[in-house]
Amino acid sequence: MSKAKNIAVKLLDKEYVIACPEEAEAELQQAAAHLNSKLQEIKSSGKIIGMERIAIMAALNISHEYIAFRQQQPENLGDNIKRLSDRIQATLDAAKQQD
């Protein structure tokens, strides 16, 4: 059984500590970097104001990217969907606690 550890990630200049299995730390850091990039892109557009709205738009954009990818890759990716969904939800929950 894998041991979880707390990993600090930075999203829009705020630090969030997330529990993560040790073997998934690199993936978590990649996911956080991708999410932060999307958050920064949306924030810098100036069209969306408020952390929660920016986070929702980023989640929608990432979901859209995923669906487009999935349509190109018809194999079953259910486990990956669940893991990504859990990460998005954890990030949104953390963002709500910071506000």
Side-chain angles (χ1 to χ4, degrees):
M1 187 160 169
S2 65
K3 184 178 177 183
K5 67 183 208 179
N6 291 331
I7 307 298
V9 297
K10 217 170 201 185
L11 301 169
L12 288 182
D13 299 323
K14 289 186 180 181
E15 189 170 284
Y16 300 92
V17 177
I18 299 170
C20 174
E22 288 180 347
E23 67 274 7
E25 181 177 353
E27 292 171 344
L28 174 62
Q29 292 292 353
Q30 283 182 315
H34 181 68
L35 176 57
N36 190 54
S37 173
K38 293 294 181 183
L39 292 167
Q40 292 286 359
E41 182 182 311
I42 292 165
K43 183 179 179 184
S44 68
S45 77
K47 296 177 183 176
I48 308 292
I49 297 175
M51 178 61 174
E52 186 173 331
R53 288 184 175 171
I54 291 170
I56 294 296
M57 289 306 299
L60 286 171
N61 288 342
I62 292 169
S63 294
H64 178 263
E65 289 173 358
Y66 172 75
I67 289 169
F69 173 79
R70 188 172 139 190
Q71 288 174 347
Q72 294 173 356
Q73 306 292 322
E75 59 196 61
N76 185 354
L77 299 174
D79 292 341
N80 289 337
I81 293 171
K82 174 75 170 114
R83 189 171 60 241
L84 288 171
S85 177
D86 290 346
R87 287 182 183 170
I88 290 169
Q89 187 60 51
T91 301
L92 289 171
D93 290 344
K96 278 187 174 182
Q97 290 178 354
Q98 292 294 321
D99 286 340

